[in-house]
Amino acid sequence: MRGMQQLLESGSSVLDHVPFPMMLTAKDATVLWWSEEAERSFGYSADEIIGSFYPFSNEERSAIHPSTWNQILHSDESIRFANFILPSKNGESFHASAILSSMTIDNEQYVMFVFEIDNLQKKDQTKIEQELDSYKVGLDETFMVTYLDMDGLITYANPLFLKSSKWTPKRVIGKTFWQLFPEESAETLVNQIWYELKSNRVWQGSVEKRTKDGETYWVDMTAIPVLATSDDPIYFAILERDITEKKRLQMHLEQIAYVDPETGLMNRHRLENIVSGLINENRHFSFIFLDIDKFYTLKDMHDEESETTLLLEFAKRLKMYFQDSDIARVGEDEFVVLTPLSDWFIQGFLSYLKQHPIYIRNKAIPISISGGITRFPEDQSTFSHLMKASNATIHKVKQEGGGNIVSLSKANHVALSKKSMIEKRLIEALHHKDLSVMYQPQVDLSSGKIDAVEALVRWEDAVLGTVSPNELIPIAEETGMIHDIGSFMLEKACEQAAKWAKSGNPMKISVNSSIREFRDKNMVKKIRQTLEKFDCPAHLLQIEITEKFALEAESEQSIIRQMLQLQADGIVFVLDDFGTGYASFRYMQLLPITELKIDQSFISGILKQEKLQKLVHGMIQFGKSMDIRVLAEGVETKEQCDLLNQLGCDAIQGFFISHPVPASEIEKL
């Protein structure tokens, strides 16, 4: 008995966490130990039960026949025993089963009971099942419902979905999510929906879909990731409501309004249809995008009636010059012409406007236009790509002063097409975490030691090959995926900094951040959570910002407040590419900048140009005057290093020290 008491004293803390009522009896069924879960389930305290024959009153003792009890005592294996009736302290009875295990300690025999309370389990299970059934009935009667697995394959489709889509269960189960949409949507919108789902975010919106027979129908869709307790998705639920009739009515109204009411030209909707038809027929044409320069200034100079006259007269000249061509008004002062005519003829429209000026109240209006020519199929192959290329061309023309009609070079169009491909591939790369991190060391010139590294994102894509940061970052910022890249880099940097610190070689790691990321009001919380996740000391993290970031941040109190909070935690802010941005130094007073990096463009010619030496020396002195550490980027030779040391620079970074390398190489350095 003493051995059993010692065992219970040492093991009860563990046994009391078992989520089942338990008790231990002697050979004669006298209760010796009563678990905390048993107390909660039946209401009796251990003091009330120990020493009794619970749950065997005189009548119920016969529930276990003496021969059965004898069998339990002599069995080496556990025996399941059903149909107990267990009374609780408040008089309620529970139907239960129990697993009985015989054990011998110090020649004394004992029996351990582990109860399974059928009433409670069935009651809870029934309640949950009833709730789930109610939800399912409600959903099935209201929405088209489909489930997707982690690969985007359909695993379930309810009757409403089958009715609208004309699929049968046999045919649709196993199809991919993408196969339910038109091909043109599958490349853009559906990939975006899938990206949101895989990022554990709900997506909502109206989408066009295809039935089994290829017919179009429209739905309002809500796509939901169903998460496990680990916050990992286990499947995706798609809820849809058919809005086809509403959409058809809307499209009918759009078709009625194919003509722009002010100018009599076709509108954008009609233009897109015509372009799609020409593309389907593989007809060669030039897509001419025209924008009236300084249109809003012209509007301010005249009244509304004059503005209408201006647009009407401009439309007339388009019709006169581009006869037998399709012409559309796609914006307030934006027009598109579809024509097979050559570039020299198209550019002649500029001279035509000068020869046929527009008069308002007998005064000639000084009108000029910016235009872009994009050819199908030589330059771009879809309507959206034609529009994107045109916008890029117009932007280029306006930067050069406007008043011209040009076409982008082949190289520019290749770059635009590559940009579109990068956007698509980047979604997949972020989902599969195909990005990698390289580290470039920074050497403190006073100690000669590496005391920090800059974390740099690298992307080697199976289709695109190596995508440089100069290509990647602008696209990521434009599409909003910079947040995902920033989170990826932050996690990798904190994880690596923590590893180095634990190995006895603490080293600061710099990560680059954008103004868009800091406009997220939860940025401080996200950084703190990441540091805590990897047990990374805050003083080992440095955040690099650009002068453009600094200039915008100085006027946004919420960003300054977040930066100050992070500085108080110990995080260092570094001003990157110093000297290449805006000339305002007001942000040096407002923002918590501890270090500045002189851009490599000043370092490359420092040995050859005396003015550069003086300029760099002035930057270093400026930093020291404000107690700011100064680091020079792009140091490639020993001579540059020695000169910077003489000029008082605190640290250097560049190929003279090392190219960006994996973390393992940093440890060797």
Side-chain angles (χ1 to χ4, degrees):
M1 177 66 76
R2 183 179 301 169
M4 174 55 71
Q5 289 175 340
Q6 291 175 346
L7 180 63
L8 287 174
E9 288 172 3
S10 62
S12 61
S13 62
V14 176
L15 293 173
D16 279 333
H17 285 85
V18 175
F20 297 100
M22 300 174 65
M23 73 177 184
L24 182 75
T25 72
K27 184 178 180 179
D28 64 353
T30 306
V31 178
L32 303 175
W33 173 76
W34 185 250
S35 74
E36 290 182 3
E37 184 62 32
E39 290 186 8
R40 284 190 289 270
S41 297
F42 305 125
Y44 292 109
S45 67
D47 291 339
E48 292 174 304
I49 292 298
I50 292 174
S52 74
F53 292 95
Y54 184 89
F56 308 116
S57 64
N58 290 335
E59 295 84 7
E60 294 171 5
R61 183 67 183 271
S62 61
I64 298 182
H65 193 273
S67 63
T68 305
W69 183 254
N70 189 54
Q71 179 185 352
I72 293 167
L73 294 174
H74 291 86
S75 175
D76 294 330
E77 298 181 356
S78 299
I79 295 177
R80 183 181 181 84
F81 195 79
N83 300 323
F84 279 111
I85 297 178
L86 305 177
S88 68
K89 189 172 182 179
N90 63 10
E92 186 179 358
S93 295
F94 297 104
H95 292 275
S97 302
I99 298 174
L100 282 61
S101 303
S102 175
M103 59 184 75
T104 302
I105 300 175
D106 293 340
N107 297 319
E108 293 287 339
Q109 203 159 10
Y110 306 92
V111 178
M112 178 68 78
F113 285 69
V114 180
F115 294 106
E116 298 173 347
I117 307 175
D118 298 337
N119 300 52
L120 291 178
Q121 290 175 350
K122 288 179 180 177
K123 181 179 179 181
D124 291 343
Q125 184 177 358
T126 300
K127 181 180 178 182
I128 292 171
E129 287 176 350
Q130 287 175 342
E131 289 180 358
L132 290 176
D133 284 343
S134 298
Y135 283 128
K136 188 175 186 304
V137 169
L139 290 174
D140 278 343
E141 291 180 353
T142 309
F143 296 97
M144 294 180 276
V145 181
T146 50
Y147 296 159
L148 311 176
D149 66 12
M150 298 305 295
D151 295 318
L153 300 179
I154 297 168
T155 59
Y156 168 78
N158 77 337
L160 277 181
F161 172 84
L162 298 173
K163 179 181 179 182
S164 293
S165 66
K166 300 183 180 178
W167 285 98
T168 61
K170 182 178 179 181
R171 295 293 184 186
V172 79
I173 300 300
K175 293 284 185 186
T176 70
F177 184 50
W178 288 260
Q179 288 175 276
L180 304 180
F181 296 83
E183 288 185 11
E184 56 271 21
S185 298
E187 287 187 4
T188 52
L189 176 62
V190 186
N191 279 343
Q192 183 60 37
I193 296 171
W194 186 245
Y195 174 73
E196 294 295 317
L197 286 173
K198 297 292 273 189
S199 301
N200 291 0
R201 293 192 286 263
V202 173
W203 186 92
Q204 289 180 296
S206 299
V207 294
E208 178 186 3
K209 300 188 73 176
R210 288 284 188 265
T211 66
K212 176 179 175 293
D213 302 328
E215 297 175 1
T216 297
Y217 69 107
W218 291 82
V219 297
D220 270 340
M221 174 189 290
T222 302
I224 305 169
V226 181
L227 307 180
T229 54
S230 61
D231 287 341
D232 293 325
I234 51 177
Y235 68 94
F236 305 109
I238 311 297
L239 308 181
E240 299 169 325
R241 300 191 77 163
D242 194 321
I243 58 167
T244 304
E245 290 305 316
K246 175 183 174 183
K247 194 69 179 180
R248 284 177 179 163
L249 176 60
Q250 177 186 339
M251 292 170 70
H252 178 65
L253 293 174
E254 288 174 353
Q255 288 171 354
I256 294 173
Y258 267 157
V259 177
D260 175 58
E262 274 193 284
T263 62
L265 301 174
M266 73 173 79
N267 63 13
R268 179 181 175 131
H269 182 70
R270 178 61 177 161
L271 172 71
E272 185 171 356
N273 285 349
I274 289 179
V275 170
S276 298
L278 293 173
I279 290 173
N280 290 336
E281 296 170 13
N282 201 28
R283 298 262 299 276
H284 290 236
F285 62 90
S286 289
F287 187 95
I288 311 164
F289 194 100
L290 302 172
D291 187 329
I292 300 175
D293 295 330
K294 303 179 182 65
F295 178 73
Y296 292 100
T297 302
L298 292 173
K299 278 182 62 174
D300 290 341
M301 292 169 59
H302 303 281
D303 55 26
E304 187 175 337
E305 183 181 347
S306 299
E307 175 195 337
T308 302
T309 301
L310 172 63
L311 291 171
L312 281 170
E313 290 298 319
F314 183 74
K316 284 180 183 178
R317 282 151 181 77
L318 283 173
K319 292 174 185 177
M320 288 295 295
Y321 189 81
F322 294 104
Q323 296 182 29
D324 300 323
S325 297
D326 293 309
I327 306 171
R329 184 186 181 197
V330 296
E332 189 172 14
D333 63 328
E334 296 169 336
F335 301 82
V336 169
V337 179
L338 304 178
T339 182
L341 300 169
S342 60
D343 287 6
W344 68 265
F345 183 87
I346 295 167
Q347 289 164 338
F349 183 60
L350 296 169
S351 300
Y352 180 81
L353 274 180
K354 290 179 181 178
Q355 296 165 6
H356 300 81
I358 296 173
Y359 289 90
I360 295 180
R361 297 189 177 95
N362 299 319
K363 289 185 179 180
I365 302 299
I367 186 171
S368 70
I369 59 171
S370 296
I373 305 170
T374 310
R375 289 170 291 273
F376 173 86
E378 297 91 334
D379 297 333
Q380 300 295 336
S381 57
T382 68
F383 177 78
S384 62
H385 288 170
L386 287 165
M387 289 293 289
K388 283 183 180 179
S390 296
N391 287 327
T393 311
I394 294 294
H395 180 70
K396 181 175 182 292
V397 173
K398 286 187 177 292
Q399 279 188 323
E400 295 171 355
N404 201 3
I405 301 174
V406 304
S407 56
L408 292 180
S409 66
K410 187 68 177 176
N412 288 138
H413 281 295
V414 169
L416 282 171
S417 298
K418 186 177 182 182
K419 180 184 174 185
S420 296
M421 178 63 75
I422 288 173
E423 290 178 12
K424 296 175 190 175
R425 298 292 300 171
L426 183 55
I427 292 174
E428 287 297 312
L430 287 168
H431 170 60
H432 294 296
K433 297 188 182 296
D434 286 341
L435 302 178
S436 61
V437 183
M438 303 289 272
Y439 300 90
Q440 188 168 30
Q442 302 170 353
V443 169
D444 182 86
L445 290 177
S446 62
S447 67
K449 295 181 179 180
I450 297 173
D451 65 346
V453 296
E454 181 180 359
L456 301 166
V457 64
R458 293 293 183 264
W459 182 21
E460 188 74 29
D461 185 69
V463 175
L464 299 169
T466 301
V467 181
S468 71
N470 291 336
E471 290 180 296
L472 173 62
I473 300 304
I475 292 173
E477 288 184 335
E478 183 180 324
T479 58
M481 287 185 277
I482 192 68
H483 293 281
D484 300 284
I485 293 178
S487 298
F488 171 81
M489 293 297 291
L490 179 65
E491 289 213 352
K492 289 294 183 183
C494 292
E495 182 181 19
Q496 188 59 57
K499 284 182 181 177
W500 281 333
K502 288 173 184 174
S503 67
N505 296 302
M507 196 177 307
K508 294 179 180 179
I509 298 183
S510 289
V511 294
N512 293 278
S513 190
S514 71
I515 191 75
R516 286 189 64 165
E517 291 177 273
F518 266 82
R519 286 197 172 108
D520 180 355
K521 63 181 180 180
N522 295 314
M523 187 64 175
V524 170
K525 180 181 178 182
K526 183 171 75 171
I527 292 174
R528 286 173 174 171
Q529 287 176 341
T530 305
L531 289 168
E532 184 179 352
K533 177 181 177 180
F534 295 104
D535 194 22
C536 176
H539 72 274
L540 295 181
L541 178 64
Q542 299 186 148
I543 297 176
E544 296 194 14
I545 63 173
T546 63
E547 286 186 300
K548 182 176 183 293
F549 178 120
L551 192 71
E552 293 186 44
E554 74 174 51
S555 62
E556 299 189 39
Q557 287 298 317
S558 60
I559 294 178
I560 296 175
R561 187 164 51 251
Q562 290 198 91
M563 293 177 71
L564 291 171
Q565 288 175 327
L566 293 172
Q567 185 196 42
D569 291 346
I571 292 170
V572 170
F573 283 92
V574 179
L575 184 63
D576 195 12
D577 301 333
F578 181 68
T580 63
Y582 299 87
S584 168
F585 286 132
R586 184 169 178 267
Y587 56 73
M588 301 296 289
Q589 297 175 293
L590 298 175
L591 305 183
I593 296 169
T594 306
E595 179 178 313
L596 61 83
K597 299 175 78 172
I598 300 175
D599 187 70
Q600 59 185 353
S601 61
F602 298 104
I603 306 302
S604 59
I606 194 172
L607 297 174
K608 300 176 183 178
Q609 300 179 43
E610 186 178 348
K611 283 187 176 180
L612 268 183
Q613 290 184 23
K614 292 179 179 179
L615 182 58
V616 170
H617 185 245
M619 292 178 178
I620 294 170
Q621 293 306 309
F622 169 75
K624 289 186 176 297
S625 70
M626 298 191 69
D627 295 324
I628 293 175
R629 187 171 185 260
V630 180
L631 178 146
E633 290 185 291
V635 179
E636 298 186 355
T637 67
K638 185 178 185 303
E639 290 76 16
Q640 290 173 341
C641 175
D642 292 341
L643 178 56
L644 287 164
N645 200 5
Q646 292 173 21
L647 295 176
C649 192
D650 297 303
I652 61 171
Q653 175 182 342
F655 294 168
F656 174 62
I657 305 302
S658 171
H659 286 71
V661 295
S664 58
E665 294 296 318
I666 295 292
E667 294 166 11
K668 293 177 184 177
L669 289 170

